[in-house]
Amino acid sequence: MAQKVYGVIGLGRMGRGVAQHLLRVGHRAVVYDVNPAHVQPLVEAGATGGGSLPELAAALPRPRVVWMMVPAGEPVDRVIAELSPHLEPGDVLIDGGNSFYRDSVRRAEALRGRGIHYLDCGTSGGVEGARHGFCLMVGGDPEAFRLAEPLFAAIAQPGGYAHVGPSGAGHFVKMVHNAIEYGMLEAIGEGFELLAQGPYPIDLARVADLWNHGSVIRGWLMELTARALARDPRLESIAGVIGGGSTGSWAIEEAWKAGVPMPAIAMSYAMRLRSRQQDTFAGKVVAALRHEFGGHEVVPGSRQGEPSSQG
């Protein structure tokens, strides 16, 4: 394998994993992060630190191949605006984050006019991917994909990367991937809640482990369920507030535009939002109405944080 040099921008958990993979398999990496403290450990591991985006670009051979792993939205545009004046025709910039696919199309078109290739890459695998190899869904120009393919091969699991279509396709596929993930996670959560609240003193961790041996719902998520429950059998150490959400909402909106109902995924997204509200006003309205028409008992609540009657 010929040694190559790649740029990596954004050294959070996932970006750090990309750089570490490159170093592990014998490539070189020039790394940059807005937080210099994230750069030093990789320098100690053999990477070259860039003090700025222009310095990173200057340290890379032509054609440059740069992996960008920064939060979706304005941070991506900010990095492109600062870095692109220091790139040249034929260079390849890869967005490995969870950007909205239409933004990726817009960015690719803008950079194409200057001869710079832009690949959108959906990156899956989480913590395990950072350690053992990612699953990569790449959209963009086939020529740019070929230039960057050694990087994808270096950081992906065997068989874990593919060119899935033109600009935007990589992030579109990853958006759908995340939407499916929402539904799977919600189904597992609901099933284990029923086990926990059911009439039997069931060992939840034991059941999760059991289901990984030959059942039709075995898989990595069930393995993670067994691991979490073995560590904390009733998950008492964490609150039931679910983060994330952008890719799920994008997928639902795109599905409705395409006439695809996606009821399971839409409901799983709604449950994520519900998990962040301890006591919804909608719930108060329903409880009040049930009391009004049926005399059903209501549970007294705290007045702190309730909506004001004024306005």
Side-chain angles (χ1 to χ4, degrees):
M1 179 192 65
Q3 185 186 64
K4 294 183 178 294
V5 186
Y6 299 106
V8 180
I9 299 169
L11 303 175
R13 172 172 47 81
M14 299 286 276
R16 182 171 63 250
V18 169
Q20 289 170 337
H21 274 290
L22 291 172
L23 296 173
R24 191 177 302 130
V25 299
H27 293 307
R28 294 171 55 201
V30 182
V31 299
Y32 170 80
D33 193 276
V34 292
N35 184 348
H38 292 171
V39 175
Q40 188 56 35
L42 287 166
V43 171
E44 294 172 0
T48 300
S52 65
L53 291 175
E55 284 185 22
L56 178 141
L60 294 172
R62 281 69 165 174
R64 302 173 180 89
V65 177
V66 182
W67 179 282
M68 177 175 53
M69 186 67 88
V70 299
E74 191 274 335
V76 176
D77 289 317
R78 186 169 64 244
V79 169
I80 293 173
E82 186 175 347
L83 177 66
S84 60
H86 306 280
L87 300 179
E88 299 173 357
D91 289 346
V92 181
L93 180 58
I94 305 163
D95 179 3
N98 273 331
S99 291
F100 184 43
Y101 81 98
R102 294 185 189 274
D103 288 339
S104 298
V105 172
R106 167 179 59 81
R107 292 162 182 152
E109 290 177 350
L111 290 172
R112 188 177 297 118
R114 300 171 51 188
I116 299 169
H117 299 294
Y118 190 83
L119 295 174
D120 52 285
C121 179
T123 307
S124 182
V127 175
E128 296 294 327
R131 293 173 182 164
H132 306 300
F134 297 102
C135 176
L136 306 174
M137 302 142 254
V138 187
D141 182 74
E143 177 187 352
F145 174 77
R146 286 190 291 271
L147 284 171
E149 188 169 5
L151 186 157
F152 300 135
I155 67 174
Q157 292 197 9
Y161 73 91
H163 181 248
V164 297
S167 293
H171 282 151
F172 184 85
V173 172
K174 179 55 162 52
M175 176 187 73
V176 176
H177 165 284
N178 284 16
I180 294 170
E181 176 189 307
Y182 283 27
M184 294 172 69
L185 292 174
E186 181 64 22
I188 292 171
E190 291 178 9
F192 276 89
E193 182 171 5
L194 178 55
L195 290 176
Q197 301 300 325
Y200 301 103
I202 292 173
D203 183 335
L204 302 183
R206 178 71 185 92
V207 170
D209 180 69
L210 171 66
W211 283 347
N212 277 309
H213 294 82
S215 88
V216 297
I217 59 172
R218 66 187 181 274
W220 186 51
L221 292 177
M222 193 59 67
E223 292 173 9
L224 297 180
T225 303
R227 183 194 305 176
L229 290 169
R231 186 168 55 245
D232 185 356
R234 293 286 164 165
L235 302 179
E236 294 174 338
S237 64
I238 62 174
V241 178
I242 308 169
S246 294
T247 50
S249 64
W250 297 337
I252 294 164
E253 183 176 353
E254 293 296 318
W256 287 342
K257 289 178 181 177
V260 179
M262 290 177 68
I265 291 170
M267 183 56 70
S268 68
Y269 174 67
M271 292 303 293
R272 287 200 175 198
L273 299 182
R274 177 63 183 89
S275 78
R276 302 168 199 174
Q277 300 173 303
Q278 293 184 347
D279 195 9
T280 67
F281 188 68
K284 296 176 187 289
V285 171
V286 173
L289 288 172
R290 291 182 75 247
H291 177 71
E292 291 297 322
F293 69 68
H296 298 289
E297 184 178 358
V298 296
V299 177
S302 169
R303 291 186 177 275
Q304 184 176 0
E306 290 185 0
S308 169
S309 60
Q310 300 177 359

